[in-house]
Amino acid sequence: MESIVFTDADYSNIRCDEKGVDRDWSDELLKTIRARIKSHYIEQQGSVCPYCDRHQGTENHRVWDIDHVVPRSTHPAFTFEPRNLVASCPDCNVAKGDASVLVNSKRKTYPAKAEAFNIIHPHFDAYDDHIAHSGHVYVGKTVKGKKTIYQCDLLRFAQKYIDWSTPLADDRFETEVEAIVRGEAGADSLIDGLRDELG
Ligand SMILES: [Zn+2]
């Protein structure tokens, strides 16, 4: 995926004084830049959310969020870092929230490698290396994949079809997913093709 490239004019708009302090992300003066960021990443991602891997059949900005991979609440210095920006579906963005995704949360410079992140990084990772999914069920192939499923609440899709008594946005989810894959959840239609994908 190609990162967005900001021009000098963009940067002089983003920085509000000579000391290089950035404007607030939500500043009205940055509205056009935010819209460009969103359009750029929707196009680069082929209208696919990089966390749930689902295609959204519209480029309408109202149903896309700009996600800061490393949250701007914890790392404001990365707010306008092009590699920290992606377009995501609102549900994944909200579920991900302010979760810490850096292996070393004290980093001052933006990492250039996938290993520095503990969830799938849309700029550095290949989704299929970490998560298998078919229809509504997501299975982590790696620790990073599992963490992404947990952090982005990707079982919310299966939850609509399976009679789980309580939300599974916690660490019980792996056991439940294993039961589904073993065919013990009475939801075989949910996993058509998934066993093949997992080998
Ligand atoms: Zn999503």
Side-chain angles (χ1 to χ4, degrees):
M1 158 156 69
E2 300 273 327
S3 298
I4 193 164
V5 176
F6 294 126
T7 63
D8 289 347
D10 290 335
Y11 279 119
S12 56
N13 197 6
I14 289 167
R15 311 230 153 97
C16 56
D17 65 24
E18 284 120 35
K19 291 186 204 130
V21 176
D22 292 343
R23 288 183 201 283
D24 280 346
W25 172 251
S26 51
D27 194 311
E28 186 64 20
L29 290 170
L30 299 181
K31 197 174 168 185
T32 312
I33 289 181
R34 285 196 303 275
R36 261 179 45 220
I37 292 169
K38 205 181 262 193
S39 293
H40 174 87
Y41 286 109
I42 292 170
E43 192 196 331
Q44 284 291 318
Q45 295 163 211
S47 298
V48 173
C49 171
Y51 300 117
C52 62
D53 199 38
R54 288 182 173 241
H55 184 265
Q56 299 215 79
T58 173
E59 296 180 10
N60 189 311
H61 282 195
R62 281 181 291 180
V63 293
W64 285 94
D65 281 351
I66 297 172
D67 175 66
H68 289 85
V69 181
V70 179
R72 58 194 167 85
S73 58
T74 58
H75 292 78
F78 301 153
T79 298
F80 295 96
E81 162 57 52
R83 293 166 300 175
N84 197 42
L85 299 167
V86 292
S88 86
C89 77
D91 290 350
C92 284
N93 189 33
V94 169
K96 185 169 156 284
D98 292 336
S100 171
V101 303
L102 283 168
V103 173
N104 172 9
S105 64
K106 295 195 173 70
R107 279 209 67 129
K108 296 277 188 289
T109 55
Y110 203 76
K113 291 204 173 108
E115 302 78 66
F117 301 88
N118 55 31
I119 66 165
I120 292 175
H121 193 299
H123 288 260
F124 302 130
D125 284 300
Y127 196 90
D128 294 347
D129 288 348
H130 299 283
I131 290 179
H133 76 99
S134 172
H136 299 292
V137 180
Y138 291 71
V139 181
K141 296 177 175 175
T142 60
V143 172
K144 191 182 247 199
K146 288 174 184 174
K147 177 103 179 164
T148 305
I149 293 170
Y150 172 69
Q151 207 66 66
C152 298
D153 192 23
L154 298 183
L155 291 192
R156 66 184 185 268
F157 300 103
Q159 191 150 23
K160 290 178 191 159
Y161 299 89
I162 298 179
D163 186 24
W164 285 322
S165 53
T166 50
L168 285 174
D170 65 28
D171 56 11
R172 289 168 299 160
F173 82 94
E174 260 183 74
T175 317
E176 297 292 339
V177 167
E178 281 162 17
I180 295 169
V181 174
R182 284 198 304 269
E184 292 166 9
D188 266 8
S189 64
L190 292 182
I191 54 167
D192 282 347
L194 187 58
R195 289 194 188 98
D196 291 345
E197 200 182 327
L198 290 169

